[in-house]
Amino acid sequence: MTTAFALTPQQRAWCARLRTLGEQLAPLAARCEDGRVDRPLLRELGTLGLLARAVPAAPPWRRGSALDLCLLRESLAYSCPQAETALALQGLGAGPVADAGTAEQRARWLPAVAAGRAVAAFALSEPGAGSDAAALALHAEPDGGAGDDDPAGSPDGWRLTGTKTWISNAPWADFYTVFARTGEAPGARGVTAFLVPADRPGLHGEPLDMLAPHALGTLTFDAVPVTRADLLGAPGAGFRVAMRTLNLFRPSVGAFAIGMAQAALDASLEHADSRAAFGGTLRDLQSVSHRLAEMATRTEAARLLVYAAACAYDGSDGEGADLARRSAMAKLLATETAQDVVDAAVQIHGAAALQRGHLLEHLYREVRAPRIYEGASEVQRSLIAKELYRERAEARGAASGRAGAGEGPAVGVGEAVRDDPPEAAAGRAADQAGEDRL
């Protein structure tokens, strides 16, 4: 827990330990070819027990707290962004399995992912559908008769046809959590989540050459067979499965960005203190010292917003009515701030920062992508605005109800559903917050 968003001594010590581990992992990470999954690094992260912080390794399959995930990602990002990214992608890809998988799916995959023996991937984006879930085109064609145990009449199996792209860890992952259109309802409510092992016939992949040195690829589904045993959650509930994972991971994307911003800030402080210029050092120039102060202030403000969102998630067991807004705010501010801080750090360092192999050259390429993935900044702004108006309408409705009843406080929409099962609460959050936008 935190006190007024100040970390405890134990949490600060853990973060320091993680930074040291990141420094130790950096030489191993540097040996991996750009754009490939680093399996030796994943195995080391598993041996150190760090992957198990993001992926539950044993029954009852409970994940760690959102705040711990943020501290883990921020601290690793500071000293070894490659290790942070490898860990985060394992957590993201395995998240729907931990959240909505069957006992058999969890036992088969989660211990292997947590140990670094298996590679997971979250396969949502498509050539024509990134943040717009309603535009998902990967089609699940019914294959077989209706399941005997399904009153809704869902088929025994499907054939997946279409394309996914910009998929992290593709095409080298061992399994993919795939979101496909099964058509139970229009838009996002007709999307279903599946667990698809990489060796399924008809599944092919190609790597993409990206700005940041991460493993991303395109997946082609040519009538790939899946069955009811591969479902993650109920047919038509895939958007809710995705949102529950994203609501947990979005604040930690901000933490990843803050870790890089802090690394850039610290490098700039050291450089400005030692670089001779105009009869003194760079720090003696007011324009530089004021810029450093601005970088530090904005980084700390974004960090606190990330911690607040994580604490809100933990305090409500992931079911708070305001989680979508808080997560969006944290990701938006942190990723935009990190971009500005890294850019300012490059300016302070000058041409040296643009040389291949320089810390800031690496951070400059790394920091751009978080403003796009897991919901672009523009989508976060739209989601935040929509949530503000929803909360305003609920507050007015509650006030009107109290005035009309004349006795006791009215129960707000967010409170009236507190006892719903987690799937209903998460589904409501998905429907209210962004609807067809991921």
Side-chain angles (χ1 to χ4, degrees):
M1 296 297 290
T2 59
T3 302
F5 303 115
L7 298 183
T8 65
Q10 294 81 7
Q11 287 170 324
R12 290 196 296 271
W14 186 53
C15 290
R17 172 62 176 155
L18 289 171
R19 287 187 179 187
T20 300
L21 288 176
E23 293 171 356
Q24 296 169 359
L25 289 168
L28 175 62
R31 292 200 290 268
C32 182
E33 179 184 350
D34 282 356
R36 300 295 297 264
V37 169
D38 192 340
R39 288 183 182 267
L41 178 61
L42 284 174
R43 287 193 293 271
E44 186 63 20
L45 287 168
T47 299
L48 292 170
L50 298 181
L51 285 177
R53 297 273 188 166
V55 180
W61 313 112
R62 291 197 184 98
R63 285 181 288 204
S65 74
L67 181 59
D68 280 352
L69 180 61
C70 286
L71 298 180
L72 176 59
R73 295 189 67 177
E74 178 187 345
S75 301
L76 284 179
Y78 180 87
S79 50
C80 186
Q82 301 97 316
E84 185 285 331
T85 298
L87 178 144
L89 294 180
Q90 289 285 82
L92 183 65
V97 183
D99 180 66
T102 64
E104 292 77 11
Q105 290 169 333
R106 290 169 173 169
R108 166 67 181 87
W109 291 108
L110 294 183
V113 174
R117 298 190 306 270
V119 178
F122 188 84
L124 174 66
S125 296
E126 298 180 7
S131 299
D132 183 5
L136 284 180
L138 183 73
H139 184 58
E141 182 71 25
D143 184 29
D148 294 335
D149 59 344
D150 185 3
S154 296
D156 283 325
W158 295 261
R159 294 275 179 168
L160 304 182
T161 301
T163 303
K164 295 289 184 181
T165 194
W166 306 301
I167 306 305
S168 294
N169 284 344
W172 295 284
D174 296 303
F175 73 90
Y176 301 90
T177 53
V178 177
F179 300 87
R181 181 162 302 288
T182 46
E184 287 77 11
R189 296 167 185 82
V191 172
T192 298
F194 297 94
L195 191 160
V196 183
D199 60 358
R200 285 290 167 87
L203 178 56
H204 309 284
E206 293 290 336
L208 295 170
D209 187 11
M210 306 296 289
L211 176 67
H214 300 160
L216 275 87
T218 294
L219 300 173
T220 301
F221 295 78
D222 184 8
V224 174
V226 291
T227 70
R228 290 173 60 81
D230 299 313
L231 286 170
L232 292 170
F239 183 74
R240 298 180 180 186
V241 172
M243 281 300 299
R244 286 199 295 268
T245 296
L246 292 175
N247 279 342
L248 170 62
F249 273 85
R250 272 179 178 156
S252 72
V253 174
F256 169 45
I258 291 305
M260 291 189 288
Q262 189 66 53
L265 172 61
D266 287 352
S268 298
L269 289 168
E270 181 177 350
H271 180 72
D273 192 37
S274 60
R275 178 71 157 87
F278 306 104
T281 61
L282 283 179
R283 63 175 289 187
D284 297 324
L285 301 176
Q286 188 180 72
S287 60
V288 174
S289 62
H290 283 193
R291 190 70 180 102
L292 290 168
E294 183 72 15
M295 292 160 66
T297 301
R298 293 186 62 193
T299 298
E300 184 65 13
R303 176 183 285 116
L304 293 176
L305 191 58
V306 166
Y307 291 177
C311 289
Y313 185 99
D314 293 335
S316 66
D317 292 326
E319 298 176 33
D322 62 350
L323 288 184
R325 173 178 57 80
R326 287 180 175 272
S327 295
M329 286 179 166
K331 181 182 184 295
L332 173 64
L333 183 62
T335 56
E336 294 287 336
T337 294
Q339 176 84 56
D340 291 344
V341 168
V342 171
D343 186 74
V346 169
Q347 195 71 15
I348 289 171
H349 279 74
L354 301 178
Q355 187 173 357
R356 182 73 67 178
H358 193 282
L359 168 66
L360 289 171
E361 179 269 337
H362 180 75
L363 291 178
Y364 199 78
R365 290 186 290 125
E366 287 272 7
V367 79
R368 186 60 183 86
R371 293 172 58 205
I372 297 175
Y373 64 63
E374 295 185 42
S377 293
E378 293 76 13
V379 170
Q380 305 307 325
R381 292 185 179 98
S382 294
L383 192 156
I384 292 165
K386 180 166 185 169
E387 282 291 280
L388 290 174
Y389 279 109
R390 180 185 66 79
E391 293 169 5
R392 179 182 173 87
E394 288 182 3
R396 285 179 170 178
S400 176
R402 288 193 296 271
E407 56 180 42
V411 178
V413 173
E415 299 171 302
V417 294
R418 287 280 181 181
D419 294 330
D420 285 357
E423 307 83 50
R428 225 179 12 264
D431 294 342
Q432 293 168 351
E435 294 184 344
D436 293 342
R437 294 175 179 174
L438 288 165

